[in-house]
């Protein structure tokens, strides 16, 4: 198993989910240069076999650009930015992608009992884990960081009621789309689903341009289209799951925590606490790690209250990989599993019928029929104990 993981490491590198595409060019795949999308640290990569690959790739870039223009949380001219700054009661015209993402997010909010929440932006801003703040406070590659102040429990409790997507209504009329807020302070952020949605839109393009086989990846949101072709034979896709420890740094430095394989026509998405986070220096000398995923209680995962102060929780989900046929749903579910914790997150995946791998600091579990490979030794880290639900 150790050799299998090392072979995967030599074959590919990405942030969270890494698919084996070693030899893609030799097998006839067109390997396109990575393209920046959504933000500076999010990249789109594609390996395509058959059909009109160049045309398909060009069209996928166009669609991803369209989506970003409508839903970016950092662009002042995006539909989401215009909606967020609008007063309550104003009907805001939005594009089809923003409207679809809102409807999907509302559906997934209900499916996850609120664990996936596209309206948590005010809480993200309060905790300084929104896209703009996290880029400022996330530790640098050399380990240096800025320690920001934390909100009080009272502030969290005051903001939480304004973070409910049910405070927003959508309307389609005469081929146009509108969103209206009933609460002045409610805001949208589709960061937890936009990449998965974009991948699903790209899969439609692969079908349109008669592609035979492809690997698409938007910074860890991977889709395996068709079977992997190797020397004329149809094979499974090999998938390496990046280790969530140590936090930050490069994917190569962390290596793999495990690997699995996917037959094809499926997505694999990983969320976790280890890339988008900051460190708060407490007065007692302890370090508090604050990731960007916020739970239903309004507090980031891995953070707990001792009644007077915030502290690191005893156990939380640090990596959740979800495998299923819809990348947007995988994206939302991987975030929701982190927010819900090991047991409730696993129950959610069972309810939806998607497969998954969930890791905490101490243990892991497997949901569904997943081929699972793990190394005999975790380099420098405690081996995780299997937890059977």
């Amino acid at each position: 198993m150790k050799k299998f993981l090392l072979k995967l490491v030599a074959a590919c590198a990405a942030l969270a989910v890494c698919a084996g595409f070693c030899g893609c060019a030799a097998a006839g795949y067109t390997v396109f240069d990575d393209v920046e999308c959504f933000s500076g640290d999010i990249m789109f990569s594609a390996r395509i076999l058959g059909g009109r690959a160049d045309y398909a790739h060009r069209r996928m870039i166009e669609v991803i650009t369209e989506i970003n223009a409508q839903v970016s949380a950092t662009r002042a001219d995006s539909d989401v930015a215009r909606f967020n700054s609008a007063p309550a009661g104003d009907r805001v015209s939005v594009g089809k992608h923003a409207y679809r993402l809102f409807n999907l997010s509302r559906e997934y909010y209900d499916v996850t009992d609120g664990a996936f929440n596209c309206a948590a932006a005010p809480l993200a801003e309060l905790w300084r884990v929104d896209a703009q703040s996290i880029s400022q406070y996330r530790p640098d590659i050399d380990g240096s960081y800025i320690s920001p102040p934390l909100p009080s429990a009272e502030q969290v409790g005051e903001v939480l009621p304004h973070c409910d997507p049910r405070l927003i209504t959508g309307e389609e009329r005469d081929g146009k789309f509108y969103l209206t807020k009933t609460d002045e302070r409610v805001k949208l952020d589709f960061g937890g689903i936009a990449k998965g949605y974009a991948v699903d839109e790209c899969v439609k393009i692969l079908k349109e341009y008669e592609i035979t086989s492809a690997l698409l990846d938007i910074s860890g949101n991977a889709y395996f289209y068709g079977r992997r072709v190797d020397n004329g034979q149809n094979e499974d896709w090999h998938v390496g799951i990046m280790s969530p420890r140590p936090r930050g740094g490069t994917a190569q430095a962390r290596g793999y925590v495990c690997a699995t394989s996917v037959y094809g026509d499926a997505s694999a998405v990983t969320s976790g606490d280890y890339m988008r986070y900051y460190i708060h220096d407490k007065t007692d000398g302890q370090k508090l790690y604050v990731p960007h995923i916020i739970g239903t209680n309004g507090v980031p995962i891995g953070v707990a209250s001792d009644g007077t102060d915030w502290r690191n929780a005893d156990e939380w989900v640090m990596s959740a990989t979800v495998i299923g046929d819809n990348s947007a749903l995988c994206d939302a579910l991987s975030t929701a599993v982190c927010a819900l914790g090991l047991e409730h997150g696993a129950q959610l995946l069972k309810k939806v019928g998607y497969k998954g791998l969930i890791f905490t600091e101490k243990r892991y579990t497997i949901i569904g029929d997943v081929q699972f490979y793990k190394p005999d030794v975790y380099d420098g880290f405690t081996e995780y104990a299997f937890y059977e639900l």
Side-chain angles (χ1 to χ4, degrees):
M1 179 53 214
K2 187 78 168 180
K3 292 181 179 178
F4 178 69
L5 287 177
L6 291 174
K7 188 175 181 181
L8 276 175
V9 172
C12 56
L15 291 181
V17 177
C18 301
F21 44 79
C22 186
C24 270
Y29 286 82
T30 301
V31 181
F32 293 91
D33 292 337
D34 290 354
V35 178
E36 180 183 312
C37 62
F38 293 112
S39 67
D41 61 348
I42 297 178
M43 307 299 291
F44 170 61
S45 64
R47 283 87 178 146
I48 303 174
L49 177 67
R52 294 175 289 168
D54 290 332
Y55 292 99
H57 186 258
R58 189 177 306 122
R59 180 58 187 147
M60 287 189 286
I61 296 299
E62 292 173 354
V63 168
I64 293 172
T65 302
E66 291 172 8
I67 296 169
N68 184 52
Q70 294 180 26
V71 307
S72 172
T74 57
R75 286 180 51 165
D77 62 343
S78 73
D79 294 351
V80 165
R82 288 190 300 104
F83 172 82
N84 287 345
S85 62
D90 271 18
R91 193 176 65 162
V92 180
S93 175
V94 298
K96 65 178 182 181
H97 297 301
Y99 187 74
R100 289 173 182 171
L101 277 164
F102 171 71
N103 284 331
L104 282 175
S105 297
R106 276 289 290 112
E107 176 186 345
Y108 298 160
Y109 179 85
D110 292 338
V111 168
T112 63
D113 292 327
F116 175 77
N117 187 356
C118 66
L123 281 166
E125 293 171 358
L126 179 66
W127 281 98
R128 294 178 173 84
V129 293
D130 56 293
Q132 185 172 352
S133 298
I134 205 72
S135 64
Q136 176 183 357
Y137 294 116
R138 181 170 55 188
D140 289 335
I141 195 74
D142 63 2
S144 62
Y145 62 90
I146 301 172
S147 172
L150 300 178
S152 66
E154 290 75 20
Q155 288 175 310
V156 173
E158 193 275 329
V159 171
L160 187 58
H162 305 285
C163 299
D164 190 333
R166 292 171 295 187
L167 299 171
I168 304 168
T169 59
E171 178 186 7
E172 179 180 356
R173 179 183 296 180
D174 299 327
K176 296 183 178 181
F177 310 97
Y178 304 92
L179 297 176
T180 305
K181 63 175 70 172
T182 59
D183 183 307
E184 191 81 22
R185 295 170 61 180
V186 71
K187 291 183 178 180
L188 287 171
D189 185 344
F190 295 123
I193 190 177
K195 291 188 296 179
Y197 172 82
V199 167
D200 288 334
E201 292 298 298
C202 288
V203 170
K204 296 177 184 177
I205 294 170
L206 295 178
K207 296 176 181 177
E208 178 184 350
Y209 285 88
E210 301 176 338
I211 302 304
T212 302
S213 174
L215 168 62
L216 307 179
D217 179 34
I218 302 182
S219 290
N221 287 60
Y223 193 93
F224 312 93
Y225 184 80
R227 299 280 277 156
R228 181 175 65 90
V229 179
D230 187 10
N231 294 322
Q233 301 295 316
N234 290 332
E235 305 285 351
D236 289 350
W237 296 91
H238 301 311
V239 186
I241 310 300
M242 279 295 176
S243 174
R245 294 294 182 268
R247 290 182 173 93
T250 64
Q252 291 88 344
R254 288 195 307 278
Y256 291 85
V257 68
C258 66
T260 185
S261 59
V262 175
Y263 182 85
D265 294 329
S267 182
V269 179
T270 296
S271 294
D273 71 345
Y274 50 91
M275 287 301 295
R276 296 179 181 273
Y277 71 96
Y278 64 78
I279 302 172
H280 172 78
D281 292 326
K282 299 182 60 173
T283 56
D284 61 2
Q286 298 295 313
K287 295 183 184 298
L288 178 69
Y289 293 87
V290 183
H292 73 292
I293 299 174
I294 296 178
T296 56
N297 62 350
V299 179
I301 62 172
V303 177
S305 173
D306 60 10
T308 58
D309 197 8
W310 301 112
R311 62 174 178 81
N312 293 304
D314 296 327
E315 184 180 20
W316 64 94
V317 172
M318 59 182 187
S319 173
T321 298
V322 178
I323 302 170
D325 58 4
N326 184 283
S327 193
L329 181 53
C330 287
D331 208 357
L333 289 174
S334 64
T335 300
V337 168
C338 290
L340 289 170
L342 182 67
E343 288 85 358
H344 291 108
Q347 291 171 9
L348 172 63
L349 293 187
K350 290 180 178 180
K351 180 179 74 173
V352 175
Y354 271 29
K355 303 175 183 179
L357 298 164
I358 307 174
F359 282 84
T360 74
E361 289 268 9
K362 304 173 182 178
R363 50 190 178 157
Y364 73 92
T365 194
I366 303 170
I367 300 90
D369 182 19
V370 177
Q371 295 188 53
F372 181 75
Y373 313 95
K374 70 181 183 70
D376 298 325
V377 177
Y378 288 95
D379 299 331
F381 293 93
T382 303
E383 182 170 353
Y384 305 95
F386 176 66
Y387 178 69
E388 186 171 0
L389 294 168

